[in-house]
Amino acid sequence: MADVTLTHIYKVYPNGTKAVKDFNMQIQDKEFIVFVGPSGCGKSTTLRMIAGLEDISAGELKIGDLIVNDMEPKDRDIAMVFQNYALYPHMTVYENIAFGLRLRKLPKDEIHRKVVEAANILGITEYLNKKPKEMSGGQRQRVALGRAIVREPKVMLLDEPLSNLDAKLRTQMRAEIGKLHSKLQTTFIYVTHDQVEAMTMGTRIVVMKDGLVQQIDTPKNLYNYPGNKFVAGFIGTPQMNFFEGTLLKKGDDVQIKFEYTDAEITVPYSLLYKAKPSYLDGNSVVYIGLRPEDISLASDDVKNNKAVVKVVVSHKEDLGSETLVYGDINPNGDGYVESSTRIIIKDNSGRELKAGDVVEAALNINRVHLFDKKTEESVLPRVPEYNYLDCEISKGKIKFLGAEIRLPASVNTEDLKGELLLPTDAVTLNGELQAEVVSCEEINGVYLLSLTLGGKRLYAVLSEPVDAKTVCVGIDFKKITVTADGENKILPLPEVNAFPCKFIKKKICERVEVNGKAKKKKSVQFGLTVAGAFFGVADETAQKIFTALGIKNAYAANLRLECGIDKIAVAESGIAAEAVQTLDYGTEKYLKCKVGDSFIYVKTEAEYNGNICLLPDFEHVGIVEIEREIKII
């Protein structure tokens, strides 16, 4: 059994088309991972790269502890099940399942034991002497699965294995594959374009679009917390309703006005704490998302809900246990054409409706989703990136949420009133401001701490849980932004330094001792030239560069070396730089250096002036090909 690790994986074709772009994921041993997305999104290409059937343009693929980029498919200890079964028609079921084992020259008794065991697991024992043409589609797919599982692979890859089956058989086979995963206790990676398959089978789902990973999460979290409009619309049947509208904060409430209609509702501001204030100005248009099951026509729901809109019914679909009601919140809309006012409702009220009826619909505002009109990213992220706070700076102190903190020496600006963009990971628990803990929620490996300070909401992202009613918070000032009058008055310290660089090879001459005599030995050393300085690189790094760029192009490509501000240090030799200024943030100091026309920042404990040398930690750097923006390392 094994983990599968994909790090900065790219697939770029000779014409420049990027089929897969910067795919990063850690798949745990025994997980059932599903890649899902529309045709052409890159899901099958990613699976084929894991299998070794497609070359990896850039990045690193590990199965267990082994890097398998250049390993043959047969040596990767994986098994793959294809969409078209790929069975040998002239062989019996027994022979099809045993074929791979015979190629590996296993003993006959061991082959027989494995085939019979697999047939028992899959319920095809009685078909072992039949040929594929005598079997149904579902039975053939079981044979394909059997041929894969007898190998006892570390990783099982399945590429849309159910797409050729009818609806009833697909449902049955979904359950069979889930049961098989439970029995085998191995890692499954499954590709499908069917979101129902993804939701019912995967422990985690990877949603892809245009070669990019849109979101990775559990089925439940993808449904409840979609990160963008695409994921929200792709997951769920029927798809989420999307309206356009504006949000206007009025005291403790927010007024939502729907575009292209007179409909409007009011929701508590507490539901929108995570939203950037600029979205609440009444002018910024957003997408308002509500799932059909979160809209009700039941009279009690309408009576007890303040968020109610009028709907003109256009048509309906009776599904037995429920009815899909189609309509429009625009009196002149037709409800048939997908638009910003069309609405789909899952109705269980039992009401008899006909085209032209005007009904009231209650919206479950606790389940509303909001997305930016341009970026389509969620306006209400589950883990917010920033706290957006009004602030005032006076006499070297910053005031916000009724609190006051002295600014460190390196953060200087004139007195002002403006907005503080405080990253949630910049709220620390080592300060002097006392805040009340509202909740601490674990979300995908981090803890979102919800606080109240001065009666207002404040969020912090931590690596450890907090079990207390009150905490003392502080601020990591090197991460904050303060704006006033449309200008940035305080900017955060860059987290990453970037250097243009080139990959080169150098001929070197070494003195070696042979039979007690010193001799010269010529060799080649690969390395990077960064701001005039040469740094040799490990053979593994050179190989990654050659793999991504090709041997000829590797030396001509314009590259960028990236390293964190805490992964570069002052040294006796290295990149020539000029120490310009020491930035004191109280608990930390950083050196601002000039390299060419650029400024570089280095964490330091000492004071420096004038000419110095800088040495990046090459075990913690990134290398990017600038032209195609491909992360090689």
Side-chain angles (χ1 to χ4, degrees), residues 378-393:
S378 176
V379 170
L380 301 172
R382 196 177 180 199
V383 179
E385 185 177 2
Y386 291 102
N387 295 284
Y388 301 93
L389 310 170
D390 292 332
C391 72
E392 180 180 351
I393 295 177

Side-chain angles (χ1 to χ4, degrees), residues 8 14 29 56 93 95 131 149 169 174 176 219-220 260 274 310 316 332 336 361 394 408 430 446 478 503 519 538 580:
H8 299 312
D29 183 27
I56 297 172
V93 169
E95 291 167 338
K131 291 187 177 179
I149 67 177
L169 201 51
R174 283 205 301 266
E176 293 288 345
K220 185 177 180 180
Y260 317 115
K274 296 178 182 178
K310 288 186 177 181
K316 63 181 182 177
N332 299 315
Y336 285 91
S394 177
N430 59 355
V446 299
K478 71 176 183 292
F503 178 69
K519 290 191 174 183
V580 176

Side-chain angles (χ1 to χ4, degrees), residues 471-535:
V471 292
C472 291
V473 300
I475 292 179
D476 184 349
F477 281 102
K478 71 176 183 292
K479 295 183 177 181
I480 71 167
T481 301
V482 174
T483 61
D485 301 323
E487 294 183 14
N488 291 324
K489 302 296 184 179
I490 297 174
L491 287 170
L493 200 63
E495 295 184 1
V496 176
N497 292 307
F499 302 89
C501 65
K502 284 279 191 179
F503 178 69
I504 67 168
K505 64 179 179 180
K506 273 176 66 173
K507 292 181 178 180
I508 58 174
C509 188
E510 300 175 288
R511 287 188 172 274
V512 296
E513 190 173 303
V514 179
N515 298 326
K517 294 183 179 180
K519 290 191 174 183
K520 292 182 179 180
K521 180 183 177 183
K522 294 182 179 180
S523 62
V524 172
Q525 184 178 18
F526 296 107
L528 296 167
T529 55
V530 186
F534 174 81
F535 299 97

Side-chain angles (χ1 to χ4, degrees), residues 51-67:
L53 303 177
E54 288 274 2
D55 293 332
I56 297 172
S57 300
E60 181 178 271
L61 172 64
K62 292 175 73 175
I63 298 178
D65 296 326
L66 287 176
I67 298 173

Side-chain angles (χ1 to χ4, degrees), residues 408-448:
S410 58
V411 182
N412 294 313
T413 186
E414 71 273 14
D415 292 353
L416 58 83
K417 289 185 179 181
E419 183 182 42
L420 168 64
L421 274 67
L422 176 59
T424 49
D425 65 355
V427 179
T428 65
L429 299 185
N430 59 355
E432 301 175 356
L433 304 178
Q434 193 172 67
E436 294 182 9
V437 176
V438 176
S439 65
C440 184
E441 181 184 7
E442 182 181 4
I443 302 173
N444 294 334
V446 299
Y447 293 88
L448 180 64

Side-chain angles (χ1 to χ4, degrees), residues 11 25 48 68 73 94 218 225 244 281 330 338 352 354 418 430 481 504 519 521 542 559 597 607:
K11 179 61 184 180
M25 188 179 185
R48 291 173 64 82
V68 300
Y94 186 102
T218 63
Y225 309 106
E244 292 179 37
D281 62 2
N330 180 346
E338 187 173 332
E352 288 295 329
K354 60 182 184 299
N430 59 355
T481 301
I504 67 168
K519 290 191 174 183
K521 180 183 177 183
L559 306 177
D597 295 327
E607 298 279 346

